[in-house]
Amino acid sequence: MKKRLWISSLSLLALLLAVSACAPKKTVAPSAENKPAVQNPQPAEEETVPVESAMEQAKIQPETSARGMNFVEATNMDLPDVYFEFDKYNLTEETKGVLAKSVAVLKNNPKLIIQVQGNCDERGTVEYNLALGQKRATAVRNYLVIAGIDSARVFTISYGKEKPLDPGHDETAWAKNRRAHFVVAAN
Amino acid sequence: MKMKIKLVSLITMIWSLAMIWPAGARDVNIDISRFESRKINIAVADFLYSGPDFEDNWGGQVAAILKNDLNLSGYFSQVEIGDNQKLQKLNVDLKELGSLGIDALVNGKITVTGDKVEIECYLYDADSQVRIVGIRYKANKDIFRRTIHNFSDEIIYRYTGEKGIAETKICFTGDLKGDKEVYAVDYDGYGFHKITNENSLVLLPRWTADAKKIAYTSYKAGNPDLYIVNEDGSGRRTLSSCQGLNSMARFSNDGKYLAVVLSKDGNPDIYIMTPAGAVIRRLTGSRAIDSSPSWSPSNSDIVFISDRSGAPQLYVTDSDGVNVRRLVYNNNYVDSPAWSPTGERIAYVVRVKNEINIYTTDVNGNFQQQLTSGSGRNENPSWSPDGRFIAFVSNRNGKSQLYIMNNDGSNQRPLFPGELADQFKGNISTPDWSLKQE
């Protein structure tokens, strides 16, 4: 009962203070977001998700807002797309090899800010693909950060299955559409 | 079963209406047990008409809307009487009904003056030989159809005790010219209209619990942010604009909270938010994808999907985030859960190869039923508020279109009636069925 009361007073407080979640200059009480009212649940089963080591994780800072930034296609830089296996968001050894090129470009252009766009093929659902595209973009971001790129320079966005590169409905098209694509901040 | 008819009904609506009560009778009981094993034979007379535009056949239009609603409900079968002048009369002789095989009769009168309509609607029961209900509506012409839908629901309520769904709507996204926008349509496929003008990618529109607003994700500001807008497209405001995903909003049935998927903490997880946009708690904390939340009707539980064990599967959690349990053990790919408004079942989709099909399960995951098969992609099931129907999209005939079926998978049909089949040229995705606007 006590807990319930606390939750409702917390929500009332949040209601009074917030305009929208993560709005610029937000005034939500910090406790409202950082302390879950209830402990996060334990996963029901053992996870099969790749996990970065603790030291690696420490480097990865959450993204700040990319609002107001204008990302455009990189015309004179070698930031090749990387591809994913069906339904997967982990990076293969081959993918990591391709990403090394982007790491070099970012190191040679220390002011360059990029956005990683996560995309999926058309076979899944709208909802899961939206989350899957985010996981793909985040996996690439994490790799770049662990390779030494400042967290603050790499943003992500998921387009789910909504922006296929190849409009076809076959294996060739699907393989092309399961990709992370890089765009760069225009200043 | 006897159903008592209440004399005082507190209905607030945007039009004015008046109940007209049967002279002398204060309480009417009709025996509806006889309809438990058969359909109710109902006759709807063309309404009498008074006004200028005879060519518009207003009286016939009213009857046509009523008949369609009653047919769609599945409770009634029509006895065609057309313009039978005896049955059109407001002082109809009820003794004749039985011999015509009619259980219930509807007639009335419509008067058109300028942009106003006044409609008197009457429902008579043959068995008890009484006028059960009479309502006089005064409305603007632009809500003419909704006014008639209101009386359809009144008929359904009087004969079944169930709240009808004739005033509900379905919203969805449609693509044209590369953009997606939110559209909505009445449950019978009429009244199609565009709601958003984002000129951007728009995803996953969801009604608020009061059916007056729609939340949706738009990429307009360069990030998938969550917005909310009134049903008429006015009053757009930002609900959630965290870096990353702000999507898959579902309002609790009491309207106090919404479950939403955010990736602001580095991973797609489900959060609980107030309708003002304040995050009050994080519901899931696995490092896998947790998404697609849907509330139980009592708001005590939330069904969602997670790929924490590999492929996406159904899980249920208490709405405070504890007691997570896996619902269905299925090696395939599962998503788009929707808890039925009556609580007993959860609809979801399963992908096998390139086909996606709609299933339902009981809330313990013991009894699954496949509702669609052999017809391409059948996606995003959304329940009618009475739990008797499911709207979904299917590409069985080429482009992705809106369909409806009974909750056991029977009677699958396009939602748009034949004459309106081509009213939208694009592909339709992610339908969401509203509750009734009170």
Side-chain angles (χ1 to χ4, degrees), chain A:
Chain A
M1 204 58 224
K2 243 182 191 171
K3 194 198 287 173
R4 193 172 289 259
L5 198 64
W6 185 62
I7 294 170
S8 61
S9 55
L10 194 67
S11 63
L12 188 67
L13 182 71
L15 195 76
L16 289 172
L17 293 176
V19 180
S20 78
C22 303
K25 295 181 201 161
K26 68 180 175 184
T27 50
V28 181
S31 62
E33 281 197 28
N34 297 341
K35 270 191 232 157
V38 179
Q39 284 235 308
N40 285 327
Q42 293 301 309
E45 289 156 57
E46 196 170 329
E47 294 182 23
T48 56
V49 182
V51 175
E52 294 83 14
S53 75
M55 223 166 75
E56 286 174 338
Q57 276 185 48
K59 289 190 196 169
I60 303 166
Q61 297 299 312
E63 291 175 47
T64 54
S65 175
R67 214 151 299 272
M69 298 178 101
N70 183 25
F71 292 100
V72 296
E73 293 296 325
T75 48
N76 55 350
M77 274 178 249
D78 189 20
L79 296 165
D81 287 357
V82 291
Y83 299 93
F84 293 82
E85 292 170 36
F86 182 42
D87 284 346
K88 295 286 196 294
Y89 44 80
N90 60 305
L91 306 175
T92 62
E93 288 310 311
E94 189 190 340
T95 304
K96 288 174 183 171
V98 176
L99 281 177
K101 289 186 186 172
S102 296
V103 172
V105 169
L106 284 159
K107 284 187 173 164
N108 292 333
N109 297 274
K111 288 190 175 165
L112 185 64
I113 291 173
I114 62 163
Q115 184 186 55
V116 188
Q117 302 180 334
N119 294 279
C120 307
D121 74 33
E122 65 180 357
R123 284 176 287 177
T125 57
V126 172
E127 301 97 305
Y128 185 74
N129 276 331
L130 207 51
L132 182 61
Q134 184 62 48
K135 286 293 267 190
R136 286 176 175 169
T138 302
V140 170
R141 178 177 187 266
N142 290 353
Y143 180 84
L144 298 178
V145 172
I146 289 163
I149 309 303
D150 184 349
S151 272
R153 296 174 59 198
V154 188
F155 293 95
T156 63
I157 191 168
S158 172
Y159 286 110
K161 62 171 176 176
E162 310 296 331
K163 296 215 172 217
L165 183 68
D166 185 329
H169 306 290
D170 54 26
E171 199 57 63
T172 315
W174 294 330
K176 282 187 205 161
N177 294 334
R178 293 190 299 267
R179 63 176 187 143
H181 178 67
F182 297 98
V183 286
V184 300
N187 289 310

Side-chain angles (χ1 to χ4, degrees), chain B residues 357-392:
Chain B
N357 281 305
I358 296 170
Y359 288 67
T360 61
T361 175
D362 68 308
V363 297
N364 298 314
N366 295 327
F367 302 104
Q368 283 117 49
Q369 187 183 8
Q370 183 171 355
L371 304 190
T372 62
S373 64
S375 52
R377 299 170 65 101
N378 300 277
E379 300 185 74
N380 295 100
S382 181
W383 297 85
S384 63
D386 61 1
R388 297 174 63 233
F389 303 97
I390 293 173
F392 62 105

Side-chain angles (χ1 to χ4, degrees), chain B residues 7-167:
Chain B
L7 274 185
V8 182
S9 177
L10 293 173
I11 306 172
T12 53
M13 275 175 291
I14 51 174
W15 56 79
S16 89
L17 80 158
M19 290 286 198
I20 308 158
W21 296 106
R26 302 301 298 166
D27 252 350
V28 181
N29 288 300
I30 55 170
D31 177 10
I32 58 175
S33 62
R34 62 204 149 114
F35 304 122
E36 277 163 16
S37 55
R38 69 168 176 95
K39 291 193 175 183
I40 302 152
N41 295 320
I42 197 162
V44 182
D46 287 356
F47 276 37
L48 300 171
Y49 171 71
S50 160
D53 308 314
F54 273 102
E55 67 275 20
D56 286 345
N57 186 19
W58 284 94
Q61 279 192 60
V62 174
I65 296 167
L66 287 168
K67 286 181 198 173
N68 190 44
D69 285 341
L70 296 169
N71 282 343
L72 291 175
S73 79
Y75 292 122
F76 297 89
S77 85
Q78 299 289 335
V79 180
E80 289 300 337
I81 53 165
D83 57 355
N84 181 321
Q85 290 180 0
K86 276 187 185 173
L87 299 181
Q88 283 182 302
K89 286 197 316 193
L90 301 188
N91 58 347
V92 59
D93 182 1
L94 299 174
K95 289 192 192 72
E96 288 189 19
L97 298 181
S99 63
L100 297 169
I102 295 169
D103 297 313
L105 171 71
V106 178
N107 71 12
K109 182 183 172 187
I110 177 165
T111 307
V112 179
T113 321
D115 62 353
K116 300 265 192 288
V117 289
E118 186 173 326
I119 315 163
E120 284 176 48
C121 304
Y122 298 99
L123 172 66
Y124 312 87
D125 183 57
D127 187 55
S128 54
Q129 300 271 305
V130 292
R131 194 168 81 188
I132 301 170
V133 64
I135 302 180
R136 180 185 291 123
Y137 298 93
K138 291 180 182 175
N140 285 328
K141 268 184 190 170
D142 59 353
I143 57 163
F144 165 70
R145 291 192 67 89
R146 192 185 156 189
T147 308
I148 309 302
H149 288 324
N150 183 267
F151 193 69
S152 299
D153 280 354
E154 189 67 31
I155 297 167
I156 287 161
Y157 177 69
R158 299 287 170 161
Y159 272 92
T160 67
E162 302 287 335
K163 282 173 88 173
I165 58 167
E167 284 185 81

Side-chain angles (χ1 to χ4, degrees), chain A residues 3-4 38-41, chain B residues 259 270 272 281-284 293-296 298-304 315-326 339:
Chain A
K3 194 198 287 173
R4 193 172 289 259
V38 179
Q39 284 235 308
N40 285 327
Chain B
I270 301 166
I272 305 297
R281 64 179 175 272
R282 180 169 159 179
L283 197 72
T284 59
S294 173
W295 300 78
S296 69
S298 67
N299 308 311
S300 60
D301 295 88
I302 289 175
V303 61
F304 65 101
Y315 292 79
V316 175
T317 173
D318 293 0
S319 55
D320 59 5
V322 298
N323 191 22
V324 178
R325 62 266 188 204
R326 185 162 163 185
W339 210 307

